[in-house]
Structures are given as C-alpha cells and as structure tokens.
Amino acid sequence: MELFGTAGIRGDVVSKVTPDLALRVGQATGRDGETFVLGYDGRVTSPALADAMAAGLQSAGARVVRIGRVPTPTLAYASQGRHGVMITASHNPPTDNGIKLFADGTEYGDDDETRIEGRIEDGSTPTAWRDWGDTESVDYLDEYRGAVADYAESLGGDPSGLTVAVDCGNGMASVATPQVLRELGADVLATEANVDGTFPGRESKPTPETLADFREFVAESDADFGFGHDGDADRIVVVDADGDVIHEDTILAMLAEHYTRTADVSDPVVVTTPNASGRIDERVEAAGGRVERIHLGSLHVGIADVRADATDETEVVFAAEPWKHIHTAFGGWIDGVASAAVLTRLFAGESVGDRRAVISERPYEKVSVECPDDAKAETMEQLESDLPDAFPEADVSTEYGVRLSFDDGSWTLVRPSGTEPYVRVYAESDDIDALVADTTQAVRDAVAVVSAADA
C-alpha cells in the first residue's frame, strides 16, 4: 500500500488523506494501545479528519484524549507513556493533510507503519459494541509551554536583553513560540501569529524565498535574530540580524557542539542524516564526540540503534536533520519550539556571530529533480550504476540513497523524496556548481531512461 512516507501519511484531502482513510487508520492503529492522545493543526480540514480518526480509534476499543488544536511537538509531549495521533501535513500546502503516529513521545518506526498498513489492507472492523472506547478533552498546551521554558532555562544565558523576531507563518507556532520566548524574558516581535489554515501570509514551508518579507522585517527592525516556523512548528529556520538565513547545517553544528561539550559522558553521540554537512562532524569531533548517520525521516531509529549498542558512557546528546531537531534530554520528538527556546538561550550566552565564526561553511546546495513517484525505485536503481560511472574517482555508498565521497572532502548524495515527486540532490564542495551540475544531469538522464522504458 505504501501509505507512509518519511514523515507519516501526507497527501491531498480529496484523493488520499480523506475522512475514510482517517477512520481506517484509526481502526487499525487503535489496536496498539489502551489510550491515544489526539491533536490536530490549524488546517481547514483538520477538525473533520480528527473526528474521523477519533471514531476509528474508539471503535477499535481505544480511549481517546482529545487535546485540540496544537503544535505537533505538543502532541508528541502529551503522548509520553501512551500512544498519540497528530492530524497535520506539516509544511505541505493547505490542500493537503496528513497523519502522524506516536508511541511514548516517539514517531512510529517502519515496522510499526508496516503493521498498520497490513491491518488496513486486510480490512479492519470495529470491535464489539460493549468494548468501544470513551473520550475526554484535556488542555496540554500550557503544560507543554512551561516544560519547554523550564528545560531551556538550564542552558546558555539570560535573554532578557534580546529582541527576537518570530514568523509563525499562520501555523501552530503562533500559540507556542512567542509565548515561550516571552516567558524566558526575551522581547518578541511576532509576525503572521494568528492560526489560519489557508496560510495567507506565506507558504507553510519556511525557506529563504518564502521568508523574504520576514527577512526584510528582521533587517529593518532592532531584532538580534529571528525564527521562521512551518505549519505544525516542528521545523525552524534561523535568520540573523541582517535578515540572512543561517544555513541549516550551521545551526545543527552549533547545537550539536553545545550538547557534546556539555555532556557528562565520555562517549557523546550526535545522530544525523546522510545529507547533513561535514561541518557537523568537525564541531562534534572537536568537542569530543562522534556522529552516527541514519536515513532521512528516521532519527528515532538512529537513536534507538545507538542506544542498543551503548555502554554506560554512551549517550545520544542530540539528533537532527536539516531544520528539524530532537533535544534528547527533553524528549524523543522533533521540536521547533524547543529549538527556538534553546537557541535563544544559547545566543544570549554567546552571540550568533561568535558561535558561527568557528564553523567551516563550505558551499552547500540542494536541488530537486522531478521524478514521478512510481519511477523513483527504478531511477535509484539506475543511478546506483550511472553515478559511479560518472564519478569513478569517488567512494560510493548506497546505504541511504547514493552517496559519493571525494578525497578533498566534497560529497554528493542522491535520494528519492518520501513526500513529493522528486529525486533530491545534495552536495557540499568548494567547486559546488560543477558537482551539482554533473550530478543533476546524471539524475535527469536516469529519469529519462526509466520514463522511456515505461512508456
């Protein structure tokens, strides 16, 4: 069935993520636990899909705790010690919606998702009428915001002298990030800070382009830095005082180095993804730690793998992929609100510029090449031979896509998107233009070969 991508189920609400699908996923998932926490984001379609999900969960015998319209990290926080379901399409357009499943604060893994898909395919039916679950409504937002602030207060410095701009993008960060930063003592300038599922201010996905107006606002204001969020507040983009977006891997390197340096164990580990920059390895190794990589969308799997082989002196101190961070001492979920709070405290203790100065920022680029979803597998198989032929001097790894590593430290990674009809090309090199051009041409050629064969 392949319902699940790299971040749960996502798609158009008319053709894929329908109330019928939510009902069936609820019936299939409700067999996994006695209690489920259910939340939803600010999209127009989210309340109705949440209703369908609740019906499915209850008819499978589960008790449902409904926590209303919240950021995804709030739902994950509330799912600790039980199961959870979040209705959200994260940064996708308003025509889409999605479903994310959690257990004890952690997203479902591949095996869990395969189990749910199997149940849906077999045809889940309601349990006996006497066994249907009940429901109640509980507010977790205040508790979550307080927990984030309490966690961040142990890090960095006092931000009472800082002015922080926040672009909430009409998403769920509107009810979390400005409030948490103000509780920490910062002066907050919030924009697009009303929840509106049509995303009138800008597209839900925060990028240098979609944040253009916000970046100009930061540069013209007295803000020391700014944050931009996506629709459900699990992602974060950081903007400096000049309105320039700080590269996502530079932010990741800052956080990774901090958590590594302050660890109380001799084997601190940072988990990240194959597309993440080598600057992360440099800062973590300089701080006395090591980096382990796992494929995109599976940070929780990478954390579990490290913990399975851990000694008493091993600890996963941080896990992240670009724009998405897991603060493992706080919880096992991706949390953009926590990232905003932690970064604000860290920048209060040492300025953005000073933290950035020690990080080597080689040119990095990501390109998306159009590829139909049903051609991705064959295209990647074709590239496993085409790319080594095109770059015979490179070391090749096919564990997480096709990654080519060169003697001068340059690298490129090609992998299929799990949520959109693209093959992604990532590259880091002093000669970035040539490497990206040659790699993307190889990908386009492979897509053309596969499409011609299927025609």
Side-chain angles (χ1 to χ4, degrees), residues 88-439:
T88 181
S90 189
H91 61 275
N92 281 33
T95 53
D96 289 0
N97 218 317
I99 301 168
K100 284 186 177 182
L101 307 178
F102 292 83
D104 195 19
T106 302
E107 290 183 41
Y108 267 32
D110 292 343
D111 291 343
D112 300 316
E113 292 173 345
T114 299
R115 180 180 67 253
I116 299 305
E117 287 199 9
R119 290 175 184 170
I120 296 171
E121 196 164 18
D122 291 342
S124 296
T125 56
T127 190
W129 67 270
R130 289 183 181 274
D131 298 327
W132 283 33
D134 61 3
T135 185
E136 67 172 317
S137 296
V138 179
D139 182 4
Y140 268 91
L141 189 56
D142 285 344
E143 180 181 332
Y144 164 75
R145 291 188 301 214
V148 173
D150 288 345
Y151 171 71
E153 280 181 346
S154 65
L155 310 173
D158 180 3
S160 58
L162 295 178
T163 299
V164 185
V166 182
D167 184 334
C168 301
N170 302 120
M172 295 314 305
S174 303
V175 300
T177 298
Q179 294 83 351
V180 169
L181 298 187
R182 288 181 181 125
E183 184 173 344
L184 290 174
D187 182 20
V188 179
L189 306 175
T191 68
E192 311 299 347
N194 62 308
V195 179
D196 188 330
T198 66
F199 303 112
R202 61 165 170 83
E203 294 179 24
S204 177
K205 186 175 183 177
T207 67
E209 292 75 27
T210 61
L211 291 173
D213 290 343
F214 176 65
R215 293 166 57 198
E216 184 177 351
F217 169 76
V218 173
E220 293 177 352
S221 71
D222 62 351
D224 294 283
F225 49 86
F227 301 123
H229 286 292
D230 63 342
D232 66 336
D234 61 354
R235 291 188 176 214
I236 188 169
V237 174
V238 184
V239 177
D240 67 19
D242 295 324
D244 295 325
V245 171
I246 302 176
H247 194 277
E248 59 266 33
D249 283 341
T250 294
I251 295 298
L252 203 162
M254 290 179 186
L255 289 166
E257 179 175 15
H258 168 78
Y259 281 121
T260 301
R261 286 197 185 280
T262 56
D264 292 328
V265 295
S266 61
D267 184 28
V269 180
V270 171
V271 174
T272 188
T273 50
N275 60 315
S277 167
R279 69 193 69 168
I280 298 156
D281 303 74
E282 291 176 4
R283 299 318 306 163
V284 169
E285 290 168 8
R290 61 186 171 97
V291 173
E292 295 290 340
R293 282 179 161 77
I294 189 70
H295 57 84
L296 276 162
S298 296
L299 291 173
H300 54 293
V301 176
I303 294 170
D305 288 348
V306 172
R307 288 173 174 169
D309 296 330
T311 69
D312 290 342
E313 284 299 309
T314 301
E315 181 182 343
V316 179
V317 296
F318 182 58
E321 55 187 80
W323 308 125
K324 299 189 285 187
H325 312 142
I326 297 178
H327 303 268
T328 51
F330 179 59
W333 56 88
I334 295 165
D335 197 326
V337 180
S339 291
V342 169
L343 287 167
T344 296
R345 293 281 305 188
L346 293 185
F347 293 158
E350 183 179 351
S351 72
V352 179
D354 287 345
R355 289 186 179 274
R356 191 174 185 178
V358 299
I359 298 172
S360 301
E361 295 185 286
R362 305 175 74 189
Y364 180 104
E365 192 169 341
K366 180 177 78 171
V367 176
S368 298
V369 179
E370 290 186 3
C371 179
D373 287 333
D374 58 5
K376 287 176 181 175
E378 290 182 71
T379 297
M380 292 306 302
E381 185 177 350
Q382 181 76 26
L383 287 167
E384 287 185 10
S385 58
D386 288 359
L387 284 171
D389 289 344
F391 299 94
E393 72 279 17
D395 291 330
V396 182
S397 170
T398 57
E399 188 174 7
Y400 306 117
V402 182
R403 183 181 172 107
L404 307 176
S405 302
F406 303 88
D407 289 342
D408 64 355
S410 300
W411 59 271
T412 184
L413 170 71
V414 178
R415 58 169 293 274
S417 169
T419 58
E420 297 176 287
Y422 297 110
V423 169
R424 311 286 194 196
V425 175
Y426 307 84
E428 185 174 33
S429 173
D430 289 329
D431 191 8
I432 192 70
D433 292 339
L435 181 57
V436 168
D438 292 344
T439 305

